[in-house]
Amino acid sequence: MRAVIVDPPGSLRLAELPDPVPGPGEVVVRVAAAGVNRADVMQRQGKYPSPPGAPEHPGLEVSGWIEALGPGVTGWQVGEAVCALLAGGGYGEKVAVPVGQVLPVPQGVDVEDAAALPEVTCTVWSNVFTLAGLRPGELLLVHGGSSGIGTMAVQLAHQVGARVAVTAGSDDKLARCAELGADVLVNYRTQDFVERLRAVEPAGADVVLDVVGAPYLSRNLDVLATGGRLVVIATQGGTRAEVDLGLLMRKRISLHGTTLRARPAEEKAAVVASVRDHVWPLVVDGGVRPVVFDRFPLADAARAHEVLEGSSHVGKLLLTTGAQAPA
């Protein structure tokens, strides 16, 4: 099969790799599309290698069709349209994946577009709703609201009846966030998000979903309401910062740091099952949709990374293989 590998370090190129063979409890997916994520960029840069046992080439989510079933797999059929959460290996024409990380393509969603769903839905649902416990009527602040994670967080929070504030770097991006359901819009280049949110909601935000890390830590604690929850899922701005423990204690703030990629397969399967139960009905109903900004042929993965790093996009970028549905 063709796959995109990191070679030399820092670069991507197309290569021929052996076709994957499904092990016990796995299926092989013939890939229609793969999502492009910042974790892939970090892997290309040598900062985020695949976990032990995962394919060494990038790619954390795909869509396509089941091509083969491994021993012990039941409940799925060859030819079924699926999408899947991966630990690696999505940048290829085929990939083996534990069956617990496979989801059916939701009714009404294009098979290629479904590649934009697994990573963002699993990340947002497990962190904002399962871990931080966002409830109807509460206020969620999403940093990077126009990103793939951000656009999904806005939609899901809106659907469950929460209020949503977002930060983004342009008025055009903020306008798109508003279309998806954001209530409070903050241009971080020209506005201070603490002042803006306090003007709208003096009590502060109940939950903050952060991808910036160290530079935002103190202000995130400032903007949180008493009993607020901060979830850090990326550290694009840095990893080290001081915490005012007194403020943390006085406001009874919960601080969480999580990643999804390196979790054990059984934990990922539990997240995927919860997403199927709670998020997939919203997708089928049309209240939540994949937001696809652009798509690139597999051979143009380097160009997709350039676009992602340029941050001009809203939503997700996809790599496509040209694969067709089985006859």
Side-chain angles (χ1 to χ4, degrees):
M1 69 169 187
R2 297 184 309 153
V4 175
I5 65 172
V6 178
D7 182 52
S11 301
L12 300 173
R13 70 174 178 88
L14 205 59
E16 289 288 334
L17 297 182
D19 286 353
V21 176
E26 293 184 335
V27 302
V28 168
V29 176
R30 179 152 57 92
V31 175
V36 179
N37 293 282
R38 291 200 177 272
D40 306 333
V41 173
M42 293 175 62
Q43 182 169 344
R44 190 200 80 224
Q45 296 170 339
K47 301 175 183 177
Y48 197 19
S50 295
E56 294 184 0
H57 56 290
L60 301 182
E61 58 188 341
V62 296
S63 61
W65 302 271
I66 293 178
E67 185 171 273
L69 306 176
V73 173
T74 60
W76 298 91
Q77 297 181 351
V78 171
E80 194 166 355
V82 296
C83 54
L85 180 72
L86 312 173
Y91 285 21
E93 293 178 319
K94 300 178 183 181
V95 65
V97 55
V99 70
Q101 294 166 217
V102 176
L103 289 155
V105 170
Q107 181 181 353
V109 175
D110 177 79
V111 173
E112 279 191 2
D113 288 354
L117 290 173
E119 179 72 13
V120 294
T121 55
C122 288
T123 297
V124 172
W125 185 258
S126 64
N127 286 293
V128 174
F129 297 91
T130 303
L131 183 61
L134 182 70
R135 296 182 291 272
E138 289 192 320
L139 176 61
L140 168 68
L141 169 60
V142 181
H143 290 300
S146 60
S147 67
I149 293 289
T151 53
M152 181 54 62
V154 169
Q155 292 183 83
L156 284 176
H158 179 72
Q159 285 296 307
V160 303
R163 295 174 295 156
V164 189
V166 297
T167 64
S170 75
D171 292 341
D172 288 343
K173 288 182 176 182
L174 290 171
R176 184 69 180 111
C177 292
E179 292 173 2
L180 295 172
D183 305 287
V184 182
L185 311 175
V186 184
N187 186 327
Y188 67 78
R189 299 185 189 278
T190 60
Q191 297 173 297
D192 180 88
F193 69 81
V194 178
E195 294 178 359
R196 178 80 175 97
L197 256 71
R198 288 292 185 183
V200 174
E201 178 50 75
D206 299 288
V207 177
V208 175
L209 182 64
D210 182 46
V211 296
V212 178
Y216 273 16
L217 180 57
S218 63
R219 287 197 288 159
N220 282 333
L221 298 181
D222 284 344
V223 83
L224 277 167
T226 299
R229 293 84 77 194
L230 169 60
V231 185
V232 181
I233 60 170
T235 54
Q236 294 175 18
T239 60
R240 295 186 177 274
E242 291 188 354
V243 176
D244 183 343
L245 294 177
L247 177 63
L248 206 71
M249 295 164 66
R250 288 193 301 274
K251 295 175 72 172
R252 302 189 298 280
I253 289 172
S254 300
L255 172 57
H256 305 275
T258 72
T259 62
L260 182 60
R261 184 181 193 183
R263 294 190 195 185
E266 57 270 21
E267 290 188 19
K268 291 182 183 178
V271 171
V272 168
S274 186
V275 164
R276 184 170 182 173
D277 288 343
H278 297 283
V279 179
W280 250 226
L282 300 176
V283 179
V284 171
D285 289 345
V288 172
R289 306 297 288 178
V291 179
V292 177
F293 180 77
D294 205 353
R295 57 197 81 212
F296 303 81
L298 191 63
D300 289 344
R303 174 59 183 153
H305 277 216
E306 290 177 3
V307 174
L308 186 70
E309 291 178 276
S311 295
S312 61
H313 62 291
V314 173
K316 298 282 291 187
L317 305 174
L318 302 180
L319 300 178
T320 60
T321 68
Q324 300 296 314

